[in-house]
């Protein structure tokens, strides 16, 4: 079962959303709806599933509906139509009391502008969610100290947010979100305000934390590189519509439309595509054309960039093996050239222009 299921969710902003809903359901797009009714389409028939323990990245340009989507998950926003199921529970059916409980225990949010309390110290900020849960000061401080260590802020626990750099403030934001040990972490452009190097450090830290914690993370960004680095799956929004959802590799190899293509056109494919994605399957490859001395073995999960030099320098044929060492396929310089070319190989079959 998926951890989070979003089913046919529509969100229309304006004075009379339900009156406008049929028009949106019949296919009118965001511009038409705005022009004819003055209402803004936030989400337009969005359905997606997020699996337990994965990082799901939601990407799109500004105004595409990313924040609207994530705010539905903790019911800061209610849909005009559709259902949101978390852990098998339709969260629209929670009463006020259950909703408070759900927000306290099930999920935490990390904000772009950190959202720290300026008059509270680092340790007090991190312990805040636990204070709301009614934990004692001693319990709060004990948990907060563990989180402070997890994000590498030892020694800063008694400082105030204004004494910290942006990157450190966001570490506090992350530690605070994790302190209540929520199942789901919602991160809305959490790293977008940080300088590039610090942002990259934070991404690495999140990857490391996540490899231990295995939370279900919904991460929002408008940055493709960040999406590719963090996402197990990526959903791409345009004008409130989900135009594509898939693994990073699926999105790079088969962009669904021109909007997605514009995002992926400059990506460094060697960093994103794995051996198994670009190989020719063993049973379809003519091994008589290679000499054993020219081969080089790699695991199927290895990224192209790691074996690219072997192919370029020695013209080696890559033998792709699985965890047991069994041969799954082969990669020659030809497959590499095709998969690294910016347009990608589906372009030859897809292009109609
Ligand atoms: N409270 C609101 N009232 C009216 N329009 C809104 C409101 N919140 C968001 N919108 C509109 O919904 C669309 C999606 O916004 P948002 O989800 O904030 O986009 P993103 O996070 O992708 O930048 C935008 O056109 C925005 O102007
Ligand atoms: Mg936003």
């Amino acid at each position: 079962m998926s951890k989070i299921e979003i089913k046919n969710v529509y969100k229309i902003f304006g004075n009379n959303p339900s009156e406008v809903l049929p028009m949106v359901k019949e296919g009118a797009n965001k511009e038409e709806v705005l022009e004819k009714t003055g209402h803004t389409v936030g989400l337009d028939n969005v359905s997606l599933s997020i699996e337990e323990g994965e990082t799901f990245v939601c990407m799109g340009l500004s105004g595409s509906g990313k924040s609207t989507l994530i705010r539905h998950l903790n019911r800061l926003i209610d849909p005009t139509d559709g259902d949101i199921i978390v852990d098998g529970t339709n969260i629209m059916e929670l009463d006020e009391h259950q909703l408070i409980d759900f927000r306290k225990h099930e999920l935490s949010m990390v904000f772009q502008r950190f959202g720290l309390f300026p008059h509270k110290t680092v340790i007090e900020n991190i312990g805040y969610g636990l204070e709301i849960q009614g934990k004692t000061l001693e319990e709060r401080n004990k948990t907060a100290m563990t989180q402070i260590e997890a994000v590498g802020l030892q020694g800063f626990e008694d400082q105030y947010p204004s004494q910290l750099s942006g990157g450190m403030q966001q570490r506090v934001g992350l530690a605070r979100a994790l302190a209540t040990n929520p199942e789901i972490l919602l991160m809305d452009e959490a790293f977008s305000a940080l300088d590039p190097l610090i942002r990259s450090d934070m991404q690495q830290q999140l990857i490391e934390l996540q490899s231990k914690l295995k939370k279900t993370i919904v991460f929002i960004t408008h940055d493709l590189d960040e999406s590719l680095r963090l996402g197990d799956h990526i959903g791409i929004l345009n004008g409130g519509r989900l135009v594509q959802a898939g693994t990073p590799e699926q999105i790079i190899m088969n962009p669904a439309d021109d909007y997605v293509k514009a995002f992926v056109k400059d990506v460094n494919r060697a960093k994103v595509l794995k051996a198994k994605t670009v190989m020719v399957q063993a049973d379809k490859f003519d091994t008589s054309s290679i000499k054993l001395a020219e081969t080089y073995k790699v695991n199927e999960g290895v990224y192209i960039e790691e074996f690219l030099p072997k192919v370029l320098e020695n013209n080696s044929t890559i033998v792709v093996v699985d965890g047991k060492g069994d041969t799954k396929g082969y990669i020659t310089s030809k497959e590499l050239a095709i998969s690294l070319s910016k347009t990608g190989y589906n372009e030859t079959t897809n292009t109609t222009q």
Side-chain angles (χ1 to χ4, degrees), residues 13-14 30 40-42 60-69 71 77 188-189 220:
F13 294 105
K30 182 168 167 155
T40 301
V41 177
L61 297 177
S62 175
S64 58
K66 305 181 296 296
S67 294
T68 303
L69 181 68
R71 287 178 195 153
I77 295 181
D188 189 352
E189 305 253 10
I220 284 184

Side-chain angles (χ1 to χ4, degrees), residues 236 243-245 250-251 253-261 346 350:
I236 300 177
V243 291
Q244 188 166 13
Q250 285 166 342
I251 286 173
M253 299 293 275
N254 288 304
D257 63 8
D258 288 345
Y259 178 80
V260 183
K261 276 186 197 157
N346 70 310
N350 269 359

